[in-house]
Amino acid sequence: MDCPALILGCLWLICLGANASKVVQLLDRMRQESHFEYLLLMKNRNATVPEQAWNGSSLAMELMEELKVPVLQLDENVSYFLHNSISNRLVSVVYLSNGRLEEHDGLLKALVANLRHMTTSRVVFLMEVEVASEGLLLGLFSHCWKMKMLNVLVFFADHERTHTFYRYSPFPNLHIEESLYEPNSTLEIFPNRLQNFLGYRMPMIIGGTSPRMIAYYKRGKLVYEGTVGHFMDVFQRKYNFSFVQPLRPTSPTVFAPSMQTVAAVRNNSVEMSMSLTFPTIPPFGFTYPYEQMNWCLMLPVEADVPTPEYYTRVFDLQAFLVALSTLVVISSLLAMTLWLHGYQVAPYDFLLHESCLRGVLGQSFVEVLRAPTLVRGIYLEICVLGILITAWYNSYFSAYVTAAPKQLPYRSYDDLFASRMKVVAWTPEYAELIGRLAEFRRYDSMFMVVPDFSRYISLRDSFNTKYGYMMHTTKWMVVTEQQKVFSKPLFRMREDFCFFNNIPFGFPIHENSVFIEPILTLIMELAETGLSLHWMQSAFSELIDAGELHFLDLSPLREFRAMQLMDLQYVWYGFAFMSALSSIVWLLEVVVVRHRRHTQSRRLAK
């Protein structure tokens, strides 16, 4: 605070001290420590504030006049979700007419409902009880901690005389703090208790699988790595506390799926879950996103083109037509030139000359006797064209044999559906997909839904190319590193086959938890320093250290294979077609010749 502001604050306190109660002075002191914009005043409907405590008829007016802030007056029968309407810079003043807390149960519930998502805001209880009771304070503070209200302060009826107020700290164990308030005191009324948890033991549950959570024994000690494991370690170190697991897993290194840990948080068995999962809509009960990920399909790399198709794929249809047109043009030019020089030319030679066809195919052909210079030039052109086409074909064919081309990739979900490939999905994740994207119901038969989580993980990690798999980007980073060990990659993740993009994954936590703000701060700091990304990229090496992965090449061996009869399948088809065509032509010639002989013999007989 700068000097002018300090002077004004002191003058304000002097003015208040002359005609205002200690509570008003304390509220103003609280505003100087941390500014608030609203004041929530709550009491039971039938309760009246005694004159000596405060004038009940002018209570709200006095607060507004002295503190210059808006005042909201509510009772136990009314509650609002104030977080959606006003600033969270709010102070609540609650009047309890006696020390029997069970009579104020409705008022306390209404207070918690009004402060939903703002339970770390400051709360001042005015208790119409003459003498402070440790049992009463302990009961009230225990209830406040159970309801996630951290910054609570209590005044008793004798506060004007004793200048005493009470508060509590849950760290490391819940205990009561008694303090004296003096106008000139430097005592911090509401200390920031979320900077150091003082060895607090926080109940939580661990869930999920690698690469987010990697648990293994290292030198006899259980360690947690992966993105979530490192977050656990840093969180505990930064805020000086430790996690405890009241719900012990069956195995220290095997945990339940992350989606199944949410129930333990919702029924207050634990404070939070150290696992990342889908948020709800609206995302209440989750921390700020620790990961932003895409949820896509991991599909096998397109299979090699069958060997028999090499012969048909070497020539593209357009290239083949260009080569054929060039052959026809040269044939016409050769036939025209020979005809102009007096050589005998058959009509079909203008379409496809035998010498031109043989030359292009690399075969020998007969040159006409004493060929003119122009004809020799055309013959030379035929030889050059034959060399070019033969070299072109052989080089492309050799490249295909060395590195086979791939089948056409899937262009849409309809193509994938038509291919009859099954996509392996875990039942809860599939239900999440169908629940959010109803249009995928028509692809129901495309999915192989596996209810058992262990079997689903086993199938996904088997690299079986018979199936596709639902994959998130965090796991894909590990798969990418693992496939670098393979002689060739087996899978790839298609960005155009993503169900959801930029899904915010957070930790399940009580929606009013006092630890949401420290977790938010830590997540932002880790993202800013790049540590969270570094942990994602280090997951593969950590899985190697944990013994879950090994440097094994799971891709099929590519061995030399001699040419087989079926490799010439389309060649044999062509040979059979041409043989059948030539046989038909030969039979037609035989029939025509015999018919002519028969006709001539009949004419001679007449």
Side-chain angles (χ1 to χ4, degrees):
M1 183 181 295
D2 55 6
C3 186
L6 181 61
I7 295 173
L8 289 175
C10 293
L11 292 174
W12 178 244
L13 281 175
I14 293 172
C15 294
L16 279 175
N19 54 11
S21 67
K22 294 294 183 185
V23 175
V24 177
Q25 294 179 33
L26 190 67
L27 289 172
D28 188 73
R29 173 70 177 277
M30 289 164 50
R31 183 168 59 179
Q32 293 182 41
E33 286 185 0
S34 180
H35 182 70
F36 59 86
E37 299 175 359
Y38 294 91
L39 193 64
L40 173 62
L41 178 60
M42 293 192 67
K43 66 182 183 66
N44 283 320
R45 177 184 294 272
N46 298 326
T48 57
V49 182
E51 187 72 24
Q52 65 272 21
W54 251 349
N55 188 342
S57 60
S58 61
L59 177 57
M61 185 63 67
E62 181 179 356
L63 290 173
M64 286 190 289
E65 290 178 352
E66 298 291 349
L67 300 176
K68 310 298 183 185
V69 294
V71 176
L72 289 77
Q73 299 184 76
L74 299 175
D75 57 37
E76 76 277 12
N77 297 324
V78 180
S79 62
Y80 298 99
F81 190 13
L82 297 179
H83 184 269
N84 280 356
S85 305
I86 64 174
S87 170
N88 59 0
R89 294 182 176 181
L90 171 75
V91 170
S92 303
V93 176
V94 184
Y95 175 74
L96 302 180
S97 59
N98 56 58
R100 294 183 292 275
L101 296 180
E102 62 276 6
E103 296 182 8
H104 306 289
D105 184 64
L107 181 64
L108 295 176
K109 288 181 178 179
L111 172 65
V112 175
N114 288 321
L115 297 182
R116 184 184 179 193
H117 298 176
M118 298 189 297
T119 51
T120 55
S121 63
R122 291 161 290 181
V123 179
V124 177
F125 283 98
L126 301 177
M127 300 194 68
E128 191 57 32
V129 178
E130 287 295 334
V131 181
S133 168
E134 183 177 352
L136 175 60
L137 286 171
L138 190 59
L140 177 61
F141 288 147
S142 298
H143 181 79
C144 290
W145 178 236
K146 183 179 179 181
M147 295 294 105
K148 314 301 181 184
M149 292 189 295
L150 177 63
N151 297 309
V152 176
L153 185 146
V154 176
F155 278 106
F156 284 92
D158 60 350
H159 67 272
E160 292 285 354
R161 177 175 52 84
T162 62
H163 300 182
T164 303
F165 64 89
Y166 301 87
R167 59 194 179 189
Y168 82 99
S169 173
F171 308 128
N173 299 304
L174 192 145
H175 60 277
I176 301 171
E177 297 176 353
E178 179 179 347
S179 301
L180 293 176
Y181 170 70
E182 297 294 341
N184 298 325
S185 173
T186 59
L187 175 68
E188 190 175 10
I189 299 174
F190 284 105
N192 188 349
R193 305 189 187 277
L194 297 179
Q195 291 181 337
N196 188 342
F197 300 162
L198 304 173
Y200 177 69
R201 293 168 62 83
M202 183 188 300
M204 61 88 183
I205 183 172
I206 300 177
T209 58
S210 61
R212 293 192 177 110
M213 176 56 70
I214 305 171
Y216 66 100
Y217 286 95
K218 186 176 184 179
R219 300 186 185 94
K221 182 181 178 182
L222 182 62
V223 296
Y224 298 101
E225 293 183 346
T227 54
V228 175
H230 287 296
F231 181 87
M232 286 174 54
D233 181 58
V234 172
F235 191 20
Q236 293 175 100
R237 290 173 182 268
K238 179 178 175 63
Y239 291 99
N240 186 23
F241 76 102
S242 60
F243 282 119
V244 293
Q245 298 186 65
L247 306 175
R248 285 286 180 179
T250 55
S251 172
T253 58
V254 180
F255 309 104
S258 57
M259 298 177 69
Q260 295 180 4
T261 64
V262 179
V265 179
R266 300 295 177 254
N267 62 23
N268 293 322
S269 298
V270 294
E271 182 69 30
M272 67 177 300
S273 170
M274 279 289 106
S275 62
L276 298 176
T277 187
F278 289 100
T280 56
I281 299 176
F284 297 153
F286 291 88
T287 65
Y288 185 83
Y290 181 54
E291 283 187 16
Q292 293 276 348
M293 61 158 238
N294 301 335
W295 193 25
C296 311
L297 284 181
M298 183 179 77
L299 298 174
V301 173
E302 289 74 20
D304 294 343
V305 169
T307 307
E309 293 187 15
Y310 292 175
Y311 299 95
T312 60
R313 287 178 177 253
V314 169
F315 268 119
D316 182 68
L317 178 60
Q318 185 177 359
F320 176 76
L321 293 177
V322 169
L324 184 62
S325 301
T326 304
L327 188 62
V328 171
V329 170
I330 295 177
S331 296
S332 301
L333 181 62
L334 177 61
M336 180 66 70
T337 304
L338 292 175
W339 180 71
L340 291 176
H341 285 81
Y343 293 96
Q344 186 177 2
V345 179
Y348 55 80
D349 287 338
F350 286 91
L351 181 63
L352 188 62
H353 199 282
E354 179 185 2
S355 298
C356 186
L357 179 61
R358 286 179 174 273
V360 169
L361 295 178
Q363 300 177 2
S364 60
F365 57 90
V366 178
E367 183 180 338
V368 296
L369 187 62
R370 297 175 183 176
T373 304
L374 181 58
V375 174
R376 292 181 179 180
I378 296 174
Y379 283 148
L380 181 61
E381 184 180 3
I382 292 172
C383 293
V384 173
L385 180 63
I387 293 172
L388 292 176
I389 291 181
T390 302
W392 184 18
Y393 185 89
N394 288 337
S395 61
Y396 268 78
F397 189 81
S398 300
Y400 280 11
V401 173
T402 305
K406 302 293 183 181
Q407 298 278 21
L408 292 176
Y410 302 118
R411 293 170 297 178
S412 64
Y413 290 105
D414 291 328
D415 291 348
L416 185 60
F417 182 72
S419 70
R420 298 185 180 278
M421 175 180 286
K422 292 292 185 179
V423 176
V424 179
W426 184 42
T427 301
E429 290 185 343
Y430 177 72
E432 190 79 21
L433 172 66
I434 297 300
R436 296 178 185 261
L437 296 176
E439 60 268 23
F440 276 90
R441 293 182 186 275
R442 62 192 183 101
Y443 301 116
D444 180 71
S445 60
M446 182 177 74
F447 293 90
M448 187 176 82
V449 182
V450 180
D452 183 64
F453 184 70
S454 299
R455 180 168 177 263
Y456 164 72
I457 295 297
S458 177
L459 281 172
R460 190 191 65 181
D461 295 343
S462 66
F463 285 89
N464 189 341
T465 54
K466 290 172 55 179
Y467 305 106
Y469 304 91
M470 299 175 76
M471 179 68 60
H472 54 81
T473 47
T474 306
K475 176 63 176 178
W476 175 246
M477 295 175 72
V478 176
V479 174
T480 301
E481 294 298 320
Q482 190 174 1
Q483 290 194 122
K484 291 179 180 179
V485 183
F486 300 171
S487 57
K488 64 175 183 178
L490 298 180
F491 287 88
R492 67 190 184 107
M493 193 167 74
R494 297 274 298 273
E495 293 184 358
D496 52 339
F497 278 85
C498 286
F499 305 117
F500 302 103
N501 291 303
N502 295 322
I503 308 174
F505 265 47
F507 298 102
I509 193 171
H510 194 284
E511 65 175 353
N512 286 330
S513 175
V514 301
F515 303 105
I516 289 180
E517 186 175 334
I519 293 174
L520 166 62
T521 302
L522 181 59
I523 289 175
M524 299 296 284
E525 290 175 352
L526 293 176
E528 182 181 12
T529 57
L531 276 175
S532 52
L533 179 60
H534 169 71
W535 291 334
M536 291 181 191
Q537 296 172 342
S538 304
F540 176 70
S541 59
E542 291 174 352
L543 286 168
I544 295 292
D545 295 338
E548 294 190 29
L549 293 181
H550 305 279
F551 290 104
L552 296 177
D553 185 359
L554 300 180
S555 60
L557 297 177
R558 186 177 178 87
E559 300 177 347
F560 171 78
R561 185 178 66 87
M563 181 177 286
Q564 300 177 359
L565 186 64
M566 288 304 299
D567 294 342
L568 302 175
Q569 177 182 354
Y570 293 108
V571 176
W572 292 120
Y573 288 164
F575 175 76
F577 174 76
M578 296 306 296
S579 297
L581 181 62
S582 60
S583 299
I584 293 173
V585 172
W586 175 73
L587 290 175
L588 289 175
E589 289 180 348
V590 170
V591 170
V592 169
V593 170
R594 288 190 177 184
H595 178 70
R596 286 178 180 175
R597 288 179 180 178
H598 181 69
T599 303
Q600 290 177 359
S601 61
R602 289 181 62 183
R603 288 177 180 175
L604 291 175
K606 292 180 178 180

